[in-house]
Amino acid sequence: MTPELSVVVPVYNEEESLPELFRRVLPVLESLSRSYELILVDDGSRDRSLALSLKFREKREDRVKVVELNGNFGQHMAIIAGFSISRGKMVITMDADLQNPPEEIPRIVAAMERGHDVVGTIRKFRQDPLFRKAASKIVNAVTNRITGLRLHDYGCMLRGYDRRIVDLILQCRETTTFIPALGQKFAVNPVEITVRHSERAKGESKYGLFRLIRLNFDLMTGFSIAPLQAVTVTGMTVAVMSLLFTAFLILRRIVLGPEAEGLFTLMAINFFLMGVTMISVGIGGEYIGRVYQEVRQRPRYVVRQVYQEEEEL
Ligand code: UDP
Ligand code: MG
């Protein structure tokens, strides 16, 4: 029997949030009066998350599946692992930390029922640290500009995708990915709705500064090569300007004679251009690093065990 709805939840060290999630999510899914499956993907948690998930599964073995990954592969890979065993006609992704209330799920289902193949979400009154909200604003704007996608909130992971979109996402074999952007890329009739958002009540964010930077570069490098073009264009502009400046200095030397002032101005310009050079090397490196990851061809994620009903294996 194929369920109508699959809900995929990546879980990484969320032992504190899971009890409340489990308490709230099943009533919501039951209220939809449709067949469903809940897929919990344990992304190599080192706390009791897996044990709690397996315990919870005992309550509804017919509905709850648990995927145990063989290590920490990141939120997006955990979702891909969940997608690969999901069978619902609609698939909804959701975080385990309850920042987006599971009570919003029916609204996503309703939007999909109206014929939308991808339902995106925008966090209303987002409750996150100020610096994250500011960084997201910049990333959203830059990403929309360089990728040609039109999304208002790339980071909100409570989203719905229909089966066709999920299968397309699964066809992409890339090791670094960003699921909302990928879904949007394949969508024919997408829509965005606003959803509530709360502060993380338990546990802490799994994204430190460096992980956030990496994730956002996954998004920008994965969907556009405009940053590389920006480097080339900057380089060309600087070269033309230097050429004009050199011509000016030669003329000045002929007319007025040699000059020696302006040493510190020159150093300031030099440092600035060194900065630009380093950023450019870095941007190139972001792509090269990802190409390197691809060519090694290691598995994108490794499943240790899937806990689900016998007949489905
Ligand atoms: N997560 C995961 N693997 C990771 C990092 C996060 O499965 O390596 C899960 C995490 O358990 C949560 C969701 O992804 O369910 C979002 O993580 P978090 O709430 O820390 O991100 P934030 O809300 O701070 O962006
Ligand atoms: Mg969160």
Side-chain angles (χ1 to χ4, degrees):
M1 183 208 69
T2 335
E4 284 169 85
L5 175 68
S6 303
V7 177
V8 175
V9 186
V11 179
Y12 180 51
N13 296 341
E14 299 284 5
E15 63 179 3
E16 289 168 283
S17 306
L18 288 180
E20 192 183 337
L21 174 74
F22 295 158
R23 197 166 58 245
R24 280 165 61 183
V25 76
L26 281 192
V28 174
L29 295 177
E30 291 289 339
S31 75
L32 288 167
S33 54
R34 267 162 240 273
S35 54
Y36 67 86
E37 58 180 4
L38 175 66
I39 303 175
L40 303 166
V41 186
D42 185 74
D43 189 17
S45 299
R46 283 178 309 256
D47 64 1
R48 293 185 309 122
S49 296
L50 178 66
L52 290 176
S53 303
L54 291 174
K55 186 109 193 80
F56 174 65
R57 189 179 117 74
E58 285 172 13
K59 262 199 222 159
R60 280 310 296 266
E61 294 205 326
D62 56 330
R63 294 286 190 225
V64 182
K65 301 178 176 184
V66 177
V67 181
E68 180 187 358
L69 294 186
N70 190 36
N72 180 239
F73 294 90
Q75 179 183 7
H76 291 258
M77 276 310 132
I79 292 174
I80 297 270
F83 277 179
S84 72
I85 71 150
S86 75
R87 291 167 321 134
K89 292 197 201 74
M90 312 174 208
V91 182
I92 289 179
T93 58
M94 190 180 73
D95 288 352
D97 61 353
L98 295 159
Q99 285 198 269
N100 284 123
E103 289 75 18
E104 298 277 22
I105 290 176
R107 293 184 52 227
I108 295 183
V109 172
M112 299 198 76
E113 215 112 80
R114 287 196 295 273
H116 297 290
D117 52 356
V118 170
V119 181
T121 47
I122 305 167
R123 289 168 277 199
K124 197 160 63 178
F125 309 123
R126 179 167 170 196
Q127 308 290 322
D128 268 326
L130 205 63
F131 104 89
R132 288 218 29 192
K133 287 196 276 194
S136 289
K137 266 218 171 90
I138 298 170
V139 169
N140 287 334
V142 173
T143 310
N144 279 337
R145 213 179 147 80
I146 65 178
T147 61
L149 298 171
R150 291 264 162 281
L151 278 180
H152 286 91
D153 189 357
Y154 284 87
C156 188
M157 295 300 285
L158 176 66
R159 286 169 185 270
Y161 309 90
D162 81 8
R163 175 48 49 192
R164 192 184 72 91
I165 301 288
V166 170
D167 287 341
L168 284 169
I169 291 176
L170 286 173
Q171 271 179 38
C172 303
R173 312 303 306 165
E174 58 208 38
T175 50
T176 49
T177 195
F178 203 97
I179 292 165
L182 210 48
Q184 188 72 6
K185 209 175 165 54
F186 293 131
V188 178
N189 182 19
V191 70
E192 286 186 297
I193 62 175
T194 53
V195 290
R196 280 175 291 148
H197 190 250
S198 14
E199 232 172 298
R200 197 183 234 284
K202 305 270 174 58
E204 50 192 30
S205 172
K206 306 299 175 285
Y207 288 101
L209 181 61
F210 290 108
R211 222 170 163 188
L212 259 188
I213 293 176
R214 181 157 13 116
L215 181 76
N216 285 305
F217 269 103
D218 281 346
L219 172 58
M220 288 188 269
T221 59
F223 292 86
S224 168
I225 53 166
L228 290 177
Q229 206 180 359
V231 168
T232 317
V233 172
T234 311
M236 288 189 325
T237 314
V238 170
V240 168
M241 276 165 42
S242 314
L243 196 69
L244 292 177
F245 189 49
T246 311
F248 165 75
L249 286 184
I250 291 173
L251 276 178
R252 190 180 186 280
R253 198 185 172 98
I254 293 168
V255 179
L256 295 177
E259 91 297 316
E261 293 297 325
L263 178 63
F264 289 102
T265 316
L266 186 63
M267 276 171 71
I269 295 173
N270 229 339
F271 284 144
F272 171 70
L273 290 181
M274 270 163 67
V276 172
T277 312
M278 281 195 246
I279 291 171
S280 305
V281 172
I283 290 178
E286 296 288 342
Y287 284 90
I288 293 173
R290 286 169 177 79
V291 172
Y292 178 51
Q293 274 180 355
E294 292 297 338
V295 297
R296 280 191 311 219
Q297 298 216 341
R298 291 187 189 155
R300 301 194 288 171
Y301 59 85
V302 180
V303 174
R304 191 182 237 163
Q305 197 168 345
V306 179
Y307 301 85
Q308 61 183 347
E309 299 259 271
E310 287 288 318
E311 71 255 16
E312 291 173 4
L313 293 173

